[in-house]
Amino acid sequence: QVQLAESGGGLVQAGGSLRLSCAASGGTFSLYTMGWFRQAPGKEREFVGYIMWRGGTTTYGDSVKGRFTISRDNVKNTVYLQMNSLKPEDTAVYYCAAQLTGSGSRVVSDYGHWGQGTQVTVSS
């Protein structure tokens, strides 16, 4: 079973950048499609993007496309979420998730493993 731990969250001004990390342990990281989701208070968990286990193809949600970039390092067993041009509406708890040899999905229930989340707050 893979365990996930996010880090890198914090407070940033609008227009700024943050890079989140998600370290994986206990599984063969290279076999997992890795997703990022976020959840703001009172809202449902929202798809941010994913990176495929094979080939490293990425897909993003419309609200972050062109501003956020997902990458992975299979040697360090870590996936990253680079967030640029941040907006106050990006404020949320950000979660990484893993899908074993997954084809990639925007659906929360398609991911079997989740981290504890990291808070990102963007001030205006």
PDB file of all heavy atoms in Angstrom, residues 27-52:
ATOM      1  N   GLY A  27       5.178   1.680  -1.819  1.00  0.00           N
ATOM      2  CA  GLY A  27       4.692   1.092  -3.055  1.00  0.00           C
ATOM      3  C   GLY A  27       5.659   1.358  -4.182  1.00  0.00           C
ATOM      4  O   GLY A  27       6.672   2.031  -3.991  1.00  0.00           O
ATOM      5  N   THR A  28       5.360   0.832  -5.357  1.00  0.00           N
ATOM      6  CA  THR A  28       6.194   1.087  -6.524  1.00  0.00           C
ATOM      7  C   THR A  28       5.668   2.351  -7.201  1.00  0.00           C
ATOM      8  O   THR A  28       4.724   2.297  -8.002  1.00  0.00           O
ATOM      9  CB  THR A  28       6.166  -0.104  -7.483  1.00  0.00           C
ATOM     10  OG1 THR A  28       6.577  -1.280  -6.781  1.00  0.00           O
ATOM     11  CG2 THR A  28       7.103   0.133  -8.655  1.00  0.00           C
ATOM     12  N   PHE A  29       6.265   3.465  -6.866  1.00  0.00           N
ATOM     13  CA  PHE A  29       5.751   4.773  -7.261  1.00  0.00           C
ATOM     14  C   PHE A  29       5.561   4.886  -8.763  1.00  0.00           C
ATOM     15  O   PHE A  29       4.580   5.464  -9.235  1.00  0.00           O
ATOM     16  CB  PHE A  29       6.695   5.855  -6.752  1.00  0.00           C
ATOM     17  CG  PHE A  29       6.283   7.251  -7.121  1.00  0.00           C
ATOM     18  CD1 PHE A  29       5.194   7.852  -6.509  1.00  0.00           C
ATOM     19  CD2 PHE A  29       6.980   7.971  -8.073  1.00  0.00           C
ATOM     20  CE1 PHE A  29       4.807   9.143  -6.842  1.00  0.00           C
ATOM     21  CE2 PHE A  29       6.610   9.259  -8.419  1.00  0.00           C
ATOM     22  CZ  PHE A  29       5.518   9.850  -7.794  1.00  0.00           C
ATOM     23  N   SER A  30       6.486   4.328  -9.525  1.00  0.00           N
ATOM     24  CA  SER A  30       6.441   4.490 -10.979  1.00  0.00           C
ATOM     25  C   SER A  30       5.206   3.848 -11.609  1.00  0.00           C
ATOM     26  O   SER A  30       4.886   4.129 -12.768  1.00  0.00           O
ATOM     27  CB  SER A  30       7.701   3.916 -11.613  1.00  0.00           C
ATOM     28  OG  SER A  30       7.811   2.541 -11.330  1.00  0.00           O
ATOM     29  N   LEU A  31       4.507   2.993 -10.880  1.00  0.00           N
ATOM     30  CA  LEU A  31       3.323   2.330 -11.402  1.00  0.00           C
ATOM     31  C   LEU A  31       2.025   3.093 -11.109  1.00  0.00           C
ATOM     32  O   LEU A  31       0.949   2.650 -11.503  1.00  0.00           O
ATOM     33  CB  LEU A  31       3.197   0.921 -10.817  1.00  0.00           C
ATOM     34  CG  LEU A  31       4.293  -0.067 -11.182  1.00  0.00           C
ATOM     35  CD1 LEU A  31       4.025  -1.425 -10.536  1.00  0.00           C
ATOM     36  CD2 LEU A  31       4.416  -0.221 -12.703  1.00  0.00           C
ATOM     37  N   TYR A  32       2.137   4.222 -10.434  1.00  0.00           N
ATOM     38  CA  TYR A  32       0.944   4.962 -10.037  1.00  0.00           C
ATOM     39  C   TYR A  32       0.744   6.206 -10.874  1.00  0.00           C
ATOM     40  O   TYR A  32       1.661   7.028 -11.018  1.00  0.00           O
ATOM     41  CB  TYR A  32       1.022   5.373  -8.566  1.00  0.00           C
ATOM     42  CG  TYR A  32       0.803   4.234  -7.603  1.00  0.00           C
ATOM     43  CD1 TYR A  32       1.866   3.440  -7.191  1.00  0.00           C
ATOM     44  CD2 TYR A  32      -0.471   3.936  -7.116  1.00  0.00           C
ATOM     45  CE1 TYR A  32       1.671   2.387  -6.307  1.00  0.00           C
ATOM     46  CE2 TYR A  32      -0.677   2.892  -6.240  1.00  0.00           C
ATOM     47  CZ  TYR A  32       0.397   2.121  -5.828  1.00  0.00           C
ATOM     48  OH  TYR A  32       0.185   1.073  -4.966  1.00  0.00           O
ATOM     49  N   THR A  33      -0.453   6.355 -11.407  1.00  0.00           N
ATOM     50  CA  THR A  33      -0.885   7.647 -11.916  1.00  0.00           C
ATOM     51  C   THR A  33      -1.192   8.513 -10.708  1.00  0.00           C
ATOM     52  O   THR A  33      -1.887   8.074  -9.780  1.00  0.00           O
ATOM     53  CB  THR A  33      -2.125   7.487 -12.805  1.00  0.00           C
ATOM     54  OG1 THR A  33      -1.740   6.871 -14.035  1.00  0.00           O
ATOM     55  CG2 THR A  33      -2.770   8.835 -13.101  1.00  0.00           C
ATOM     56  N   MET A  34      -0.649   9.734 -10.718  1.00  0.00           N
ATOM     57  CA  MET A  34      -0.765  10.609  -9.567  1.00  0.00           C
ATOM     58  C   MET A  34      -1.670  11.797  -9.880  1.00  0.00           C
ATOM     59  O   MET A  34      -1.476  12.486 -10.882  1.00  0.00           O
ATOM     60  CB  MET A  34       0.609  11.103  -9.143  1.00  0.00           C
ATOM     61  CG  MET A  34       1.571   9.998  -8.740  1.00  0.00           C
ATOM     62  SD  MET A  34       0.983   9.024  -7.348  1.00  0.00           S
ATOM     63  CE  MET A  34       0.921  10.288  -6.072  1.00  0.00           C
ATOM     64  N   GLY A  35      -2.624  12.009  -9.008  1.00  0.00           N
ATOM     65  CA  GLY A  35      -3.555  13.121  -9.193  1.00  0.00           C
ATOM     66  C   GLY A  35      -3.413  14.165  -8.106  1.00  0.00           C
ATOM     67  O   GLY A  35      -2.932  13.884  -7.013  1.00  0.00           O
ATOM     68  N   TRP A  36      -3.831  15.372  -8.446  1.00  0.00           N
ATOM     69  CA  TRP A  36      -3.937  16.461  -7.473  1.00  0.00           C
ATOM     70  C   TRP A  36      -5.388  16.941  -7.465  1.00  0.00           C
ATOM     71  O   TRP A  36      -5.999  17.141  -8.531  1.00  0.00           O
ATOM     72  CB  TRP A  36      -3.022  17.624  -7.818  1.00  0.00           C
ATOM     73  CG  TRP A  36      -1.576  17.415  -7.506  1.00  0.00           C
ATOM     74  CD1 TRP A  36      -0.604  17.003  -8.366  1.00  0.00           C
ATOM     75  CD2 TRP A  36      -0.933  17.598  -6.243  1.00  0.00           C
ATOM     76  NE1 TRP A  36       0.600  16.927  -7.717  1.00  0.00           N
ATOM     77  CE2 TRP A  36       0.425  17.290  -6.409  1.00  0.00           C
ATOM     78  CE3 TRP A  36      -1.373  18.009  -4.972  1.00  0.00           C
ATOM     79  CZ2 TRP A  36       1.359  17.371  -5.369  1.00  0.00           C
ATOM     80  CZ3 TRP A  36      -0.452  18.093  -3.943  1.00  0.00           C
ATOM     81  CH2 TRP A  36       0.899  17.777  -4.142  1.00  0.00           C
ATOM     82  N   PHE A  37      -5.909  17.138  -6.284  1.00  0.00           N
ATOM     83  CA  PHE A  37      -7.255  17.662  -6.075  1.00  0.00           C
ATOM     84  C   PHE A  37      -7.174  18.769  -5.024  1.00  0.00           C
ATOM     85  O   PHE A  37      -6.178  18.882  -4.306  1.00  0.00           O
ATOM     86  CB  PHE A  37      -8.204  16.564  -5.581  1.00  0.00           C
ATOM     87  CG  PHE A  37      -8.506  15.509  -6.615  1.00  0.00           C
ATOM     88  CD1 PHE A  37      -7.594  14.505  -6.910  1.00  0.00           C
ATOM     89  CD2 PHE A  37      -9.721  15.515  -7.282  1.00  0.00           C
ATOM     90  CE1 PHE A  37      -7.872  13.531  -7.864  1.00  0.00           C
ATOM     91  CE2 PHE A  37     -10.022  14.545  -8.237  1.00  0.00           C
ATOM     92  CZ  PHE A  37      -9.086  13.557  -8.516  1.00  0.00           C
ATOM     93  N   ARG A  38      -8.224  19.542  -4.940  1.00  0.00           N
ATOM     94  CA  ARG A  38      -8.274  20.571  -3.904  1.00  0.00           C
ATOM     95  C   ARG A  38      -9.696  20.705  -3.388  1.00  0.00           C
ATOM     96  O   ARG A  38     -10.654  20.375  -4.090  1.00  0.00           O
ATOM     97  CB  ARG A  38      -7.769  21.912  -4.435  1.00  0.00           C
ATOM     98  CG  ARG A  38      -8.642  22.535  -5.518  1.00  0.00           C
ATOM     99  CD  ARG A  38      -7.963  23.779  -6.087  1.00  0.00           C
ATOM    100  NE  ARG A  38      -8.803  24.445  -7.081  1.00  0.00           N
ATOM    101  CZ  ARG A  38      -8.406  25.495  -7.800  1.00  0.00           C
ATOM    102  NH1 ARG A  38      -7.173  25.988  -7.639  1.00  0.00           N
ATOM    103  NH2 ARG A  38      -9.222  26.040  -8.672  1.00  0.00           N
ATOM    104  N   GLN A  39      -9.790  21.195  -2.165  1.00  0.00           N
ATOM    105  CA  GLN A  39     -11.106  21.364  -1.555  1.00  0.00           C
ATOM    106  C   GLN A  39     -11.128  22.638  -0.744  1.00  0.00           C
ATOM    107  O   GLN A  39     -10.360  22.792   0.210  1.00  0.00           O
ATOM    108  CB  GLN A  39     -11.452  20.158  -0.670  1.00  0.00           C
ATOM    109  CG  GLN A  39     -12.881  20.157  -0.175  1.00  0.00           C
ATOM    110  CD  GLN A  39     -13.287  18.808   0.374  1.00  0.00           C
ATOM    111  OE1 GLN A  39     -12.454  17.969   0.713  1.00  0.00           O
ATOM    112  NE2 GLN A  39     -14.590  18.573   0.455  1.00  0.00           N
ATOM    113  N   ALA A  40     -12.000  23.539  -1.130  1.00  0.00           N
ATOM    114  CA  ALA A  40     -12.209  24.779  -0.401  1.00  0.00           C
ATOM    115  C   ALA A  40     -13.331  24.573   0.616  1.00  0.00           C
ATOM    116  O   ALA A  40     -14.167  23.676   0.445  1.00  0.00           O
ATOM    117  CB  ALA A  40     -12.567  25.892  -1.371  1.00  0.00           C
ATOM    118  N   PRO A  41     -13.368  25.392   1.660  1.00  0.00           N
ATOM    119  CA  PRO A  41     -14.413  25.231   2.687  1.00  0.00           C
ATOM    120  C   PRO A  41     -15.806  25.280   2.087  1.00  0.00           C
ATOM    121  O   PRO A  41     -16.125  26.179   1.296  1.00  0.00           O
ATOM    122  CB  PRO A  41     -14.168  26.421   3.614  1.00  0.00           C
ATOM    123  CG  PRO A  41     -12.723  26.726   3.452  1.00  0.00           C
ATOM    124  CD  PRO A  41     -12.423  26.452   2.004  1.00  0.00           C
ATOM    125  N   GLY A  42     -16.619  24.299   2.426  1.00  0.00           N
ATOM    126  CA  GLY A  42     -17.998  24.273   1.970  1.00  0.00           C
ATOM    127  C   GLY A  42     -18.190  23.820   0.544  1.00  0.00           C
ATOM    128  O   GLY A  42     -19.319  23.837   0.041  1.00  0.00           O
ATOM    129  N   LYS A  43     -17.106  23.399  -0.095  1.00  0.00           N
ATOM    130  CA  LYS A  43     -17.200  22.972  -1.498  1.00  0.00           C
ATOM    131  C   LYS A  43     -16.758  21.527  -1.646  1.00  0.00           C
ATOM    132  O   LYS A  43     -16.081  20.972  -0.785  1.00  0.00           O
ATOM    133  CB  LYS A  43     -16.349  23.878  -2.386  1.00  0.00           C
ATOM    134  CG  LYS A  43     -16.839  25.320  -2.441  1.00  0.00           C
ATOM    135  CD  LYS A  43     -16.088  26.098  -3.494  1.00  0.00           C
ATOM    136  CE  LYS A  43     -16.632  27.510  -3.632  1.00  0.00           C
ATOM    137  NZ  LYS A  43     -15.923  28.285  -4.689  1.00  0.00           N
ATOM    138  N   GLU A  44     -17.133  20.931  -2.783  1.00  0.00           N
ATOM    139  CA  GLU A  44     -16.721  19.567  -3.058  1.00  0.00           C
ATOM    140  C   GLU A  44     -15.253  19.552  -3.492  1.00  0.00           C
ATOM    141  O   GLU A  44     -14.704  20.559  -3.938  1.00  0.00           O
ATOM    142  CB  GLU A  44     -17.592  18.971  -4.165  1.00  0.00           C
ATOM    143  CG  GLU A  44     -19.042  18.758  -3.754  1.00  0.00           C
ATOM    144  CD  GLU A  44     -19.832  17.994  -4.798  1.00  0.00           C
ATOM    145  OE1 GLU A  44     -19.294  17.777  -5.906  1.00  0.00           O
ATOM    146  OE2 GLU A  44     -20.985  17.644  -4.514  1.00  0.00           O
ATOM    147  N   ARG A  45     -14.654  18.368  -3.351  1.00  0.00           N
ATOM    148  CA  ARG A  45     -13.276  18.221  -3.795  1.00  0.00           C
ATOM    149  C   ARG A  45     -13.224  18.371  -5.316  1.00  0.00           C
ATOM    150  O   ARG A  45     -13.989  17.752  -6.041  1.00  0.00           O
ATOM    151  CB  ARG A  45     -12.732  16.869  -3.348  1.00  0.00           C
ATOM    152  CG  ARG A  45     -11.235  16.756  -3.378  1.00  0.00           C
ATOM    153  CD  ARG A  45     -10.729  15.594  -2.544  1.00  0.00           C
ATOM    154  NE  ARG A  45     -10.985  15.817  -1.117  1.00  0.00           N
ATOM    155  CZ  ARG A  45     -10.473  15.048  -0.156  1.00  0.00           C
ATOM    156  NH1 ARG A  45      -9.692  14.029  -0.458  1.00  0.00           N
ATOM    157  NH2 ARG A  45     -10.761  15.294   1.097  1.00  0.00           N
ATOM    158  N   GLU A  46     -12.280  19.176  -5.774  1.00  0.00           N
ATOM    159  CA  GLU A  46     -12.185  19.559  -7.178  1.00  0.00           C
ATOM    160  C   GLU A  46     -10.932  18.991  -7.812  1.00  0.00           C
ATOM    161  O   GLU A  46      -9.841  19.037  -7.224  1.00  0.00           O
ATOM    162  CB  GLU A  46     -12.170  21.089  -7.287  1.00  0.00           C
ATOM    163  CG  GLU A  46     -12.001  21.636  -8.689  1.00  0.00           C
ATOM    164  CD  GLU A  46     -11.737  23.125  -8.719  1.00  0.00           C
ATOM    165  OE1 GLU A  46     -11.450  23.714  -7.661  1.00  0.00           O
ATOM    166  OE2 GLU A  46     -11.824  23.716  -9.817  1.00  0.00           O
ATOM    167  N   PHE A  47     -11.078  18.492  -9.031  1.00  0.00           N
ATOM    168  CA  PHE A  47      -9.941  17.978  -9.793  1.00  0.00           C
ATOM    169  C   PHE A  47      -9.015  19.107 -10.206  1.00  0.00           C
ATOM    170  O   PHE A  47      -9.468  20.121 -10.748  1.00  0.00           O
ATOM    171  CB  PHE A  47     -10.472  17.241 -11.020  1.00  0.00           C
ATOM    172  CG  PHE A  47      -9.426  16.853 -12.021  1.00  0.00           C
ATOM    173  CD1 PHE A  47      -8.548  15.810 -11.753  1.00  0.00           C
ATOM    174  CD2 PHE A  47      -9.311  17.520 -13.225  1.00  0.00           C
ATOM    175  CE1 PHE A  47      -7.579  15.447 -12.679  1.00  0.00           C
ATOM    176  CE2 PHE A  47      -8.359  17.155 -14.158  1.00  0.00           C
ATOM    177  CZ  PHE A  47      -7.497  16.129 -13.879  1.00  0.00           C
ATOM    178  N   VAL A  48      -7.720  18.913  -9.981  1.00  0.00           N
ATOM    179  CA  VAL A  48      -6.713  19.879 -10.411  1.00  0.00           C
ATOM    180  C   VAL A  48      -5.950  19.344 -11.619  1.00  0.00           C
ATOM    181  O   VAL A  48      -5.809  20.033 -12.634  1.00  0.00           O
ATOM    182  CB  VAL A  48      -5.730  20.190  -9.261  1.00  0.00           C
ATOM    183  CG1 VAL A  48      -4.575  21.053  -9.756  1.00  0.00           C
ATOM    184  CG2 VAL A  48      -6.462  20.871  -8.105  1.00  0.00           C
ATOM    185  N   GLY A  49      -5.475  18.109 -11.516  1.00  0.00           N
ATOM    186  CA  GLY A  49      -4.758  17.517 -12.639  1.00  0.00           C
ATOM    187  C   GLY A  49      -4.176  16.174 -12.266  1.00  0.00           C
ATOM    188  O   GLY A  49      -4.258  15.756 -11.108  1.00  0.00           O
ATOM    189  N   TYR A  50      -3.643  15.488 -13.270  1.00  0.00           N
ATOM    190  CA  TYR A  50      -2.948  14.234 -13.000  1.00  0.00           C
ATOM    191  C   TYR A  50      -1.800  14.057 -13.971  1.00  0.00           C
ATOM    192  O   TYR A  50      -1.740  14.695 -15.024  1.00  0.00           O
ATOM    193  CB  TYR A  50      -3.886  13.032 -13.041  1.00  0.00           C
ATOM    194  CG  TYR A  50      -4.559  12.735 -14.372  1.00  0.00           C
ATOM    195  CD1 TYR A  50      -3.855  12.147 -15.422  1.00  0.00           C
ATOM    196  CD2 TYR A  50      -5.912  12.994 -14.567  1.00  0.00           C
ATOM    197  CE1 TYR A  50      -4.470  11.871 -16.633  1.00  0.00           C
ATOM    198  CE2 TYR A  50      -6.533  12.717 -15.764  1.00  0.00           C
ATOM    199  CZ  TYR A  50      -5.826  12.155 -16.791  1.00  0.00           C
ATOM    200  OH  TYR A  50      -6.434  11.874 -17.992  1.00  0.00           O
ATOM    201  N   ILE A  51      -0.890  13.152 -13.574  1.00  0.00           N
ATOM    202  CA  ILE A  51       0.227  12.767 -14.428  1.00  0.00           C
ATOM    203  C   ILE A  51       0.240  11.247 -14.509  1.00  0.00           C
ATOM    204  O   ILE A  51       0.181  10.556 -13.485  1.00  0.00           O
ATOM    205  CB  ILE A  51       1.563  13.352 -13.913  1.00  0.00           C
ATOM    206  CG1 ILE A  51       2.704  13.014 -14.873  1.00  0.00           C
ATOM    207  CG2 ILE A  51       1.868  12.903 -12.484  1.00  0.00           C
ATOM    208  CD1 ILE A  51       3.964  13.849 -14.621  1.00  0.00           C
ATOM    209  N   MET A  52       0.301  10.749 -15.711  1.00  0.00           N
ATOM    210  CA  MET A  52       0.196   9.312 -15.947  1.00  0.00           C
ATOM    211  C   MET A  52       1.438   8.573 -15.470  1.00  0.00           C
ATOM    212  O   MET A  52       2.545   9.101 -15.478  1.00  0.00           O
ATOM    213  CB  MET A  52      -0.001   9.050 -17.440  1.00  0.00           C
ATOM    214  CG  MET A  52      -1.309   9.570 -17.979  1.00  0.00           C
ATOM    215  SD  MET A  52      -2.701   8.625 -17.376  1.00  0.00           S
ATOM    216  CE  MET A  52      -2.390   7.071 -18.231  1.00  0.00           C
TER     217      MET A  52
END
